[in-house]
Amino acid sequence: PKDNQYYTKLRSLCQELDQRVVPVVESVVKAGLVPIIVGGGHNNAYPIIQGVCRGAGLKQGMRCINLDAHADFRPLEGRHSGNAFSYAFYQGFLHRYHVTGINSQACSETMLKNIDLEEKVSYTMHEPGKAPDAESAIEFVSNSRELPTGLEIDLDALSFIPASAFAVSGYSLDEARIFIRQINQKLKPAYLHLAEGQIRETLNDARIIGKTLTTLVLEFVKSYTR
């Protein structure tokens, strides 16, 4: 078992990583480009959102849609991958936030109840056999100021993709592609973040992750410019 000092150290290192990511994203946005961030944990969502806001001068924050089995809206208890969006929200960088594809077995009841109390945060559950609900996501984030919207895709929302939280019941890669296309058609996201892919031991894992990420990036670029 790990002691409290161990977790305190990890959270401190995560905070240091935040400080490295923010200026990189900020500089890309200031150059008039759309950041595409591939890889890493979902802890990076917080500094990405912060960097976009600073680069674009968004004093009232931005909006975000996240295709994910987890909400990553846990308490502000020190930085880690489970509270990137709650940090961004409560510190004013995230104006409105929607999660599509929540797995009820992967999120605590307490966190979901806390989300229900927030008017500007919402989610839809993953339903077997149904594609991700882009329409509800777009409608929710659009019900606010005309602010840029970030697009997050966590690979653990997809079935049988090597990820930090491997899923056997989730969305297909084609459904994720359609989801990206639908978001692009309506919102033209301020950034794309593909998170939580994880190569464990096999070469096959690396091939699957490589082709999955390439497919999603190409889908984003093609449908964004179309």
Coordinates of all heavy atoms in Angstrom, one line a residue, residues 45-94:
A45 N -5.9 17.6 -19.9 CA -7.0 18.5 -20.4 C -7.1 19.8 -19.7 O -7.4 20.8 -20.3 CB -8.4 17.7 -20.1
Y46 N -6.7 19.8 -18.4 CA -6.7 21.1 -17.6 C -5.7 22.1 -18.2 O -6.1 23.2 -18.5 CB -6.5 20.8 -16.2 CG -6.2 22.0 -15.3 CD1 -7.1 23.1 -15.3 CD2 -5.0 22.2 -14.6 CE1 -6.9 24.2 -14.5 CE2 -4.8 23.3 -13.8 CZ -5.7 24.3 -13.8 OH -5.5 25.5 -13.1
P47 N -4.5 21.8 -18.4 CA -3.6 22.8 -18.9 C -3.8 23.1 -20.4 O -3.6 24.2 -20.8 CB -2.2 22.2 -18.7 CG -2.4 20.7 -18.6 CD -3.7 20.6 -17.9
I48 N -4.4 22.2 -21.1 CA -4.8 22.4 -22.5 C -5.9 23.5 -22.6 O -5.8 24.5 -23.3 CB -5.3 21.2 -23.3 CG1 -4.1 20.2 -23.5 CG2 -5.9 21.5 -24.6 CD1 -4.5 18.8 -23.9
I49 N -6.9 23.3 -21.8 CA -8.0 24.3 -21.7 C -7.5 25.7 -21.2 O -7.8 26.7 -21.8 CB -9.1 23.8 -20.8 CG1 -9.8 22.6 -21.4 CG2 -10.1 24.9 -20.5 CD1 -10.7 21.8 -20.5
Q50 N -6.6 25.6 -20.2 CA -6.0 26.9 -19.7 C -5.2 27.5 -20.8 O -5.3 28.8 -21.0 CB -5.2 26.5 -18.5 CG -4.7 27.8 -17.7 CD -3.9 27.4 -16.5 OE1 -4.0 26.2 -16.0 NE2 -3.2 28.3 -15.9
G51 N -4.4 26.8 -21.5 CA -3.6 27.3 -22.6 C -4.4 27.9 -23.7 O -4.0 29.0 -24.2
V52 N -5.5 27.3 -24.1 CA -6.3 27.8 -25.2 C -7.0 29.1 -24.7 O -7.0 30.1 -25.5 CB -7.4 26.8 -25.6 CG1 -8.4 27.4 -26.5 CG2 -6.8 25.6 -26.2
C53 N -7.4 29.2 -23.5 CA -8.1 30.4 -23.0 C -7.1 31.5 -22.9 O -7.4 32.7 -23.3 CB -8.6 30.1 -21.5 SG -10.1 29.1 -21.5
R54 N -5.9 31.3 -22.5 CA -4.8 32.3 -22.5 C -4.4 32.8 -23.9 O -4.3 34.0 -24.1 CB -3.6 31.9 -21.7 CG -3.9 31.7 -20.2 CD -2.7 31.4 -19.4 NE -3.0 31.4 -17.9 CZ -2.1 31.1 -17.0 NH1 -0.8 30.9 -17.3 NH2 -2.5 31.1 -15.7
G55 N -4.3 31.8 -24.8 CA -3.8 32.1 -26.1 C -4.9 32.9 -26.9 O -4.5 33.8 -27.7
A56 N -6.1 32.6 -26.6 CA -7.2 33.3 -27.3 C -7.8 34.5 -26.5 O -8.7 35.1 -27.0 CB -8.3 32.3 -27.7
G57 N -7.3 34.7 -25.4 CA -7.8 35.8 -24.5 C -9.2 35.6 -24.1 O -10.0 36.6 -24.0
L58 N -9.6 34.4 -23.7 CA -10.9 34.1 -23.3 C -11.1 34.3 -21.8 O -10.9 33.4 -21.0 CB -11.3 32.6 -23.6 CG -11.1 32.2 -25.1 CD1 -11.3 30.8 -25.3 CD2 -12.1 33.0 -26.0
K59 N -11.5 35.5 -21.4 CA -11.6 35.8 -20.0 C -12.7 35.1 -19.3 O -12.7 34.9 -18.0 CB -11.7 37.3 -19.8 CG -10.4 38.1 -20.3 CD -10.6 39.6 -20.0 CE -9.3 40.3 -20.5 NZ -9.4 41.7 -20.3
Q60 N -13.7 34.7 -20.0 CA -14.9 34.0 -19.4 C -14.8 32.5 -19.7 O -15.8 31.8 -19.5 CB -16.2 34.6 -20.0 CG -16.3 36.1 -19.6 CD -17.6 36.7 -20.2 OE1 -18.4 36.0 -20.9 NE2 -17.9 37.9 -19.8
G61 N -13.7 32.0 -20.1 CA -13.5 30.6 -20.3 C -14.0 30.1 -21.6 O -14.5 30.9 -22.5
M62 N -14.0 28.8 -21.8 CA -14.5 28.2 -23.0 C -15.4 27.0 -22.7 O -15.6 26.7 -21.6 CB -13.2 27.7 -23.8 CG -12.4 26.6 -23.1 SD -11.0 26.1 -24.1 CE -11.8 25.4 -25.6
R63 N -15.9 26.4 -23.8 CA -16.8 25.2 -23.6 C -16.0 23.9 -24.0 O -14.9 24.0 -24.6 CB -18.0 25.3 -24.5 CG -18.7 26.7 -24.4 CD -19.8 26.9 -25.3 NE -19.5 26.9 -26.7 CZ -20.3 27.3 -27.7 NH1 -21.5 27.8 -27.4 NH2 -19.9 27.2 -29.0
C64 N -16.5 22.8 -23.6 CA -15.8 21.5 -23.9 C -16.8 20.4 -24.0 O -17.7 20.3 -23.2 CB -14.8 21.2 -22.8 SG -13.7 19.8 -23.2
I65 N -16.6 19.5 -25.0 CA -17.3 18.3 -25.1 C -16.3 17.1 -25.0 O -15.2 17.1 -25.7 CB -18.0 18.2 -26.5 CG1 -19.1 19.2 -26.6 CG2 -18.6 16.8 -26.8 CD1 -19.8 19.3 -27.9
N66 N -16.6 16.1 -24.2 CA -15.7 15.0 -23.9 C -16.4 13.7 -24.2 O -17.4 13.4 -23.6 CB -15.3 15.1 -22.4 CG -14.3 14.0 -22.1 OD1 -13.7 13.4 -22.9 ND2 -14.2 13.8 -20.8
L67 N -15.9 12.9 -25.1 CA -16.4 11.5 -25.3 C -15.6 10.6 -24.4 O -14.4 10.4 -24.6 CB -16.2 11.1 -26.8 CG -16.7 9.7 -27.2 CD1 -18.2 9.7 -27.1 CD2 -16.3 9.3 -28.6
D68 N -16.2 10.1 -23.4 CA -15.4 9.5 -22.3 C -16.3 8.6 -21.5 O -17.5 8.9 -21.3 CB -14.9 10.6 -21.4 CG -13.7 10.1 -20.6 OD1 -13.5 8.9 -20.4 OD2 -12.9 11.0 -20.1
A69 N -15.8 7.5 -21.0 CA -16.5 6.7 -20.0 C -16.5 7.2 -18.6 O -17.2 6.8 -17.7 CB -15.9 5.3 -20.0
H70 N -15.6 8.2 -18.4 CA -15.5 8.8 -17.1 C -15.7 10.4 -17.2 O -15.4 10.9 -18.3 CB -14.1 8.6 -16.5 CG -13.6 7.2 -16.6 ND1 -13.0 6.7 -17.7 CD2 -13.7 6.2 -15.7 CE1 -12.7 5.4 -17.5 NE2 -13.1 5.1 -16.3
A71 N -16.1 11.0 -16.2 CA -16.4 12.4 -16.2 C -15.1 13.2 -15.9 O -15.0 14.4 -16.3 CB -17.5 12.8 -15.3
D72 N -14.2 12.6 -15.1 CA -13.0 13.3 -14.7 C -13.3 14.6 -14.0 O -12.7 15.7 -14.3 CB -12.0 13.5 -15.8 CG -11.5 12.2 -16.4 OD1 -11.5 11.2 -15.6 OD2 -11.1 12.1 -17.5
F73 N -14.3 14.6 -13.1 CA -14.8 15.8 -12.4 C -14.7 15.6 -10.9 O -15.6 16.0 -10.2 CB -16.2 16.1 -12.9 CG -16.6 17.6 -12.8 CD1 -16.3 18.5 -13.8 CD2 -17.3 18.0 -11.7 CE1 -16.6 19.8 -13.7 CE2 -17.7 19.3 -11.6 CZ -17.4 20.2 -12.6
R74 N -13.7 14.9 -10.5 CA -13.5 14.6 -9.1 C -13.1 15.8 -8.3 O -12.7 16.9 -8.9 CB -12.5 13.4 -8.9 CG -13.1 12.1 -9.4 CD -12.1 11.0 -9.7 NE -11.3 10.8 -8.5 CZ -10.3 9.9 -8.5 NH1 -10.0 9.2 -9.6 NH2 -9.6 9.7 -7.4
P75 N -13.1 15.7 -7.0 CA -12.8 16.9 -6.1 C -11.4 17.5 -6.4 O -10.5 16.9 -6.9 CB -12.9 16.3 -4.7 CG -13.8 15.1 -4.8 CD -13.5 14.6 -6.2
L76 N -11.3 18.8 -6.0 CA -10.0 19.5 -6.1 C -9.1 19.1 -4.9 O -8.9 19.8 -4.0 CB -10.2 21.0 -6.1 CG -11.3 21.5 -7.1 CD1 -11.3 23.0 -7.1 CD2 -11.1 21.0 -8.5
E77 N -8.5 17.9 -5.0 CA -7.7 17.3 -3.9 C -6.3 17.2 -4.3 O -5.5 16.4 -3.7 CB -8.3 15.9 -3.7 CG -8.3 15.0 -4.9 CD -9.1 13.8 -4.7 OE1 -9.7 13.6 -3.7 OE2 -9.1 12.9 -5.7
G78 N -5.8 18.1 -5.2 CA -4.5 17.9 -5.8 C -4.6 17.3 -7.1 O -5.4 16.5 -7.4
R79 N -3.8 17.7 -8.1 CA -4.0 17.4 -9.5 C -3.7 16.0 -9.8 O -2.7 15.4 -9.4 CB -3.0 18.3 -10.3 CG -3.6 19.7 -10.4 CD -4.7 19.9 -11.4 NE -4.3 19.6 -12.7 CZ -4.7 18.5 -13.4 NH1 -5.6 17.7 -13.0 NH2 -4.2 18.3 -14.6
H80 N -4.6 15.4 -10.6 CA -4.4 14.1 -11.2 C -5.4 13.9 -12.3 O -6.1 14.9 -12.7 CB -4.7 13.0 -10.1 CG -6.0 13.1 -9.4 ND1 -7.2 12.8 -10.0 CD2 -6.3 13.4 -8.1 CE1 -8.2 12.9 -9.1 NE2 -7.7 13.3 -8.0
S81 N -5.4 12.8 -13.0 CA -6.1 12.6 -14.2 C -7.6 12.6 -14.0 O -8.4 12.7 -15.0 CB -5.7 11.3 -15.0 OG -6.0 10.2 -14.2
G82 N -8.1 12.4 -12.8 CA -9.5 12.4 -12.5 C -10.2 13.7 -12.2 O -11.4 13.7 -12.0
N83 N -9.4 14.8 -12.2 CA -10.1 16.1 -11.9 C -9.7 17.2 -12.8 O -9.7 18.4 -12.4 CB -9.8 16.4 -10.4 CG -8.4 16.5 -10.1 OD1 -7.5 16.7 -10.9 ND2 -8.0 16.4 -8.8
A84 N -9.2 16.9 -14.0 CA -8.8 17.9 -14.9 C -9.9 18.9 -15.2 O -9.8 20.1 -15.3 CB -8.3 17.3 -16.2
F85 N -11.1 18.4 -15.4 CA -12.3 19.3 -15.8 C -12.9 20.0 -14.6 O -13.3 21.1 -14.8 CB -13.3 18.4 -16.6 CG -12.8 17.8 -17.8 CD1 -12.4 16.5 -17.9 CD2 -12.6 18.6 -19.0 CE1 -11.9 15.9 -19.0 CE2 -12.1 18.0 -20.2 CZ -11.8 16.7 -20.2
S86 N -12.8 19.4 -13.5 CA -13.3 20.1 -12.3 C -12.4 21.3 -12.0 O -12.8 22.4 -11.6 CB -13.5 19.2 -11.1 OG -12.4 18.3 -10.9
Y87 N -11.1 21.1 -12.1 CA -10.1 22.2 -11.9 C -10.4 23.3 -12.9 O -10.4 24.5 -12.5 CB -8.7 21.7 -12.0 CG -8.0 21.4 -10.7 CD1 -8.2 20.1 -10.1 CD2 -7.3 22.3 -9.9 CE1 -7.6 19.8 -8.9 CE2 -6.7 22.0 -8.7 CZ -6.9 20.8 -8.2 OH -6.3 20.5 -7.0
A88 N -10.5 22.9 -14.1 CA -10.8 23.9 -15.2 C -12.1 24.7 -15.0 O -12.1 25.9 -15.2 CB -10.8 23.3 -16.6
F89 N -13.1 24.0 -14.5 CA -14.4 24.6 -14.3 C -14.4 25.5 -13.1 O -14.8 26.7 -13.2 CB -15.4 23.4 -14.1 CG -16.8 23.9 -13.9 CD1 -17.6 24.4 -15.0 CD2 -17.4 24.0 -12.6 CE1 -18.9 24.8 -14.8 CE2 -18.7 24.4 -12.5 CZ -19.5 24.9 -13.6
Y90 N -13.9 25.0 -12.0 CA -14.0 25.9 -10.8 C -13.0 27.0 -10.8 O -13.1 27.9 -10.0 CB -13.8 25.0 -9.5 CG -15.0 24.1 -9.3 CD1 -14.9 22.7 -9.3 CD2 -16.3 24.6 -9.1 CE1 -16.0 21.9 -9.1 CE2 -17.4 23.8 -8.9 CZ -17.3 22.5 -8.9 OH -18.4 21.6 -8.8
Q91 N -12.0 26.9 -11.6 CA -11.0 28.0 -11.7 C -11.3 29.0 -12.9 O -10.6 29.9 -13.2 CB -9.6 27.5 -11.9 CG -9.1 26.8 -10.6 CD -7.6 26.4 -10.6 OE1 -6.9 26.7 -11.6 NE2 -7.2 25.8 -9.6
G92 N -12.5 28.8 -13.5 CA -13.0 29.7 -14.5 C -12.5 29.6 -15.9 O -12.8 30.4 -16.7
F93 N -11.8 28.5 -16.2 CA -11.3 28.3 -17.6 C -12.4 27.5 -18.4 O -12.3 27.6 -19.6 CB -10.0 27.6 -17.6 CG -8.9 28.3 -17.0 CD1 -8.4 27.9 -15.7 CD2 -8.3 29.4 -17.6 CE1 -7.3 28.6 -15.1 CE2 -7.3 30.1 -17.0 CZ -6.8 29.7 -15.8
L94 N -13.2 26.8 -17.8 CA -14.2 26.0 -18.4 C -15.6 26.5 -18.1 O -16.1 26.4 -17.0 CB -14.1 24.5 -18.0 CG -15.0 23.5 -18.7 CD1 -14.8 23.5 -20.2 CD2 -14.7 22.1 -18.1

